[in-house]
Amino acid sequence: MKNINLKIAVIIHSKTGNTKSVAERIKEKLVARGHQVQLEEIVASNDEEMELTKIVLTKAPKSTDYDGYVFGAPVRAFSLSPIMKAYLSKIQDFQGRPVYCFLTQHFRFRFLGGDNALKQFELALNDKSARILGTNIVNWKSKKRAQLIEETVDLVKF
């Protein structure tokens, strides 16, 4: 998808700042391509809560009126961030709009929660009729972290 001047939302949950740093790089790339990009963070008053029904979102970005989306979240307890899960469960259908998603993971290996979290991310997005164009995981303790970040930024092809 190489249209000019798309309106793109980069919506993230970032606890430590790792996910946000990757999202900022993606935003810079998209802005340089001439797109209108809004970087939005999902915030919960009880960020440590793991049970979806108990999560209180204090900042839940609007998920409509965009041509495309990039979602980013950390892996937490070998799963997708519960804050991102809660957010995705409450938003409107994407009606086939294009979506990219990425995860940041503390551990060096994807099989230590990243693969499971990515499946959960994809399932939640598919439940909202998103057209997923690409996914990636940045393993923060990997010796290849810089390369993984670049791969994630390069993945987004709006």
Side-chain angles (χ1 to χ4, degrees):
M1 182 177 244
K2 297 188 180 193
N3 298 12
I4 302 298
N5 295 324
L6 293 175
K7 191 173 177 185
I8 300 168
V10 178
I11 300 174
I12 62 164
H13 173 240
S14 185
K15 186 166 173 63
T16 64
N18 294 343
T19 303
K20 186 175 183 177
S21 69
V22 176
E24 287 170 340
R25 296 271 308 277
I26 291 169
K27 178 183 176 181
E28 289 171 11
K29 174 188 174 183
L30 293 173
V31 168
R33 287 187 171 174
H35 300 301
Q36 299 174 39
V37 183
Q38 191 69 35
L39 176 57
E40 299 274 2
E41 288 191 64
I42 305 162
V43 179
S45 61
N46 53 346
D47 196 73
E48 295 297 323
E49 182 60 56
M50 296 297 285
E51 191 174 325
L52 292 185
T53 58
K54 294 182 179 178
I55 293 173
V56 179
L57 297 177
T58 55
K59 186 175 179 193
K62 193 174 176 185
S63 64
T64 57
D65 303 327
Y66 291 99
D67 300 312
Y69 302 84
V70 178
F71 286 96
V75 175
R76 189 186 300 174
F78 300 94
S79 296
L80 176 61
S81 156
I83 308 305
M84 180 59 78
K85 284 184 191 177
Y87 173 76
L88 291 174
S89 74
K90 293 175 169 59
I91 63 172
Q92 293 181 350
D93 194 275
F94 289 106
Q95 300 176 340
R97 287 188 185 93
V99 171
Y100 291 89
C101 66
F102 71 92
L103 293 165
T104 54
Q105 177 182 10
H106 173 77
F107 296 116
R108 189 181 320 182
F109 304 108
R110 293 174 61 115
F111 67 85
L112 292 173
D115 289 331
N116 182 54
L118 191 56
K119 287 177 189 169
Q120 293 172 347
F121 218 163
E122 291 173 317
L123 181 61
L125 290 167
N126 283 327
D127 284 348
K128 295 294 181 173
S129 301
R131 186 165 44 99
I132 302 172
L133 300 180
T135 64
N136 206 19
I137 300 173
V138 177
N139 305 93
W140 218 256
K141 290 292 184 178
S142 171
K143 294 176 183 173
K144 296 180 181 180
R145 177 176 67 196
Q147 177 185 338
L148 292 168
I149 291 170
E150 287 307 311
E151 288 173 5
T152 301
V153 172
D154 290 342
L155 173 76
V156 180
K157 302 282 188 204
F158 289 111

